[in-house]
Amino acid sequence: LGAQSLEDYDYENLTFRGIGFDVGYIWPNRVEATPIYTVRADLGFLGPHVRIVPSIGFWSSSLDRDELARLAEQLSRLDPLESRNVTISPDELGTIRWSDLFLALDGHYIRDVVPSVQGYVGAALGLHFFNGSGRIIDDTFVEDLLDSVTAGLSLAAGFEAAPHDRLRVHVEGRYTLLDD
């Protein structure tokens, strides 16, 4: 067996090999669980067993009940005169939506498991464009705080099967770390 050297990894072997459409489900920590939609391109192999996969994705959901209650309590404390006892309930805030449009670049380390099935682990760097909206927060500092751009780091593991030479089906678990 020969070990790989840095010369084995070169961008000149990268070329478009296919496109994939993903539908999944995410469980963010401040919004309700929601579907996520992603389009990814397979750019082939950077070197032995290392595949490069850029992607673009989107999800949108409502702030969960606990987060709305926390926001209502914080807004109630903003009374500048401290002379009124203003109490805002989560119901008064209505529905506040938060969405994420992201661009990511994955690197997958792939190994054959059995014929026509490959397993992989990988990591990704992403850029996330968050947008907050809601009747009561539109054009306020709260919306400005929810509208942000941040970097993210994802770790992924999955399996992909090739039931046909022009079709691949994959199952993946992914954990994404974000600034907020």
Side-chain angles (χ1 to χ4, degrees), residues 144-165:
D144 291 343
L145 292 172
L146 291 176
D147 294 350
S148 62
V149 177
T150 189
L153 173 66
S154 297
L155 302 174
F159 292 95
E160 90 179 23
H164 186 273
D165 65 340

Side-chain angles (χ1 to χ4, degrees), residues 45-58:
F45 290 88
L46 179 65
H49 306 288
V50 178
R51 177 176 60 192
I52 302 299
V53 183
S55 61
I56 183 170
F58 178 79

Side-chain angles (χ1 to χ4, degrees), residues 3-174:
Q4 287 89 28
S5 66
L6 285 177
E7 290 82 28
D8 293 330
Y9 297 92
D10 194 350
Y11 66 88
E12 71 182 26
N13 295 322
L14 294 178
T15 182
F16 178 78
R17 298 196 179 203
I19 191 165
F21 304 96
D22 299 347
V23 176
Y25 216 72
I26 63 169
W27 293 269
N29 65 346
R30 293 190 178 172
V31 298
E32 296 173 1
T34 190
I36 184 171
Y37 307 98
T38 308
V39 176
R40 64 171 71 187
D42 183 351
L43 295 185
F45 290 88
L46 179 65
H49 306 288
V50 178
R51 177 176 60 192
I52 302 299
V53 183
S55 61
I56 183 170
F58 178 79
W59 61 263
S60 179
S61 186
S62 299
L63 289 182
D64 65 24
R65 193 79 180 145
D66 292 340
E67 196 63 24
L68 275 177
R70 193 177 91 140
L71 178 60
E73 188 232 321
Q74 290 172 343
L75 289 173
S76 296
R77 288 188 279 156
L78 285 179
D79 182 8
L81 302 176
E82 296 184 16
S83 60
R84 303 173 299 199
N85 248 345
V86 176
T87 302
I88 299 172
S89 75
D91 294 328
E92 290 176 287
L93 295 177
T95 300
I96 296 177
R97 301 222 29 106
W98 206 19
S99 62
D100 180 16
L101 174 67
F102 61 89
L103 303 169
L105 184 63
D106 282 59
H108 295 164
Y109 180 78
I110 299 175
R111 295 301 294 198
D112 290 337
V113 177
V114 295
S116 299
V117 176
Q118 295 177 321
Y120 63 90
V121 294
L125 291 175
L127 192 58
H128 296 259
F129 300 88
F130 287 102
N131 182 44
S133 63
R135 181 185 53 79
I136 202 154
I137 67 162
D138 285 344
D139 300 322
T140 68
F141 72 95
V142 176
E143 180 187 15
D144 291 343
L145 292 172
L146 291 176
D147 294 350
S148 62
V149 177
T150 189
L153 173 66
S154 297
L155 302 174
F159 292 95
E160 90 179 23
H164 186 273
D165 65 340
R166 295 192 178 263
L167 176 68
R168 293 192 175 271
V169 178
H170 68 265
V171 175
E172 179 180 279
R174 178 176 292 265

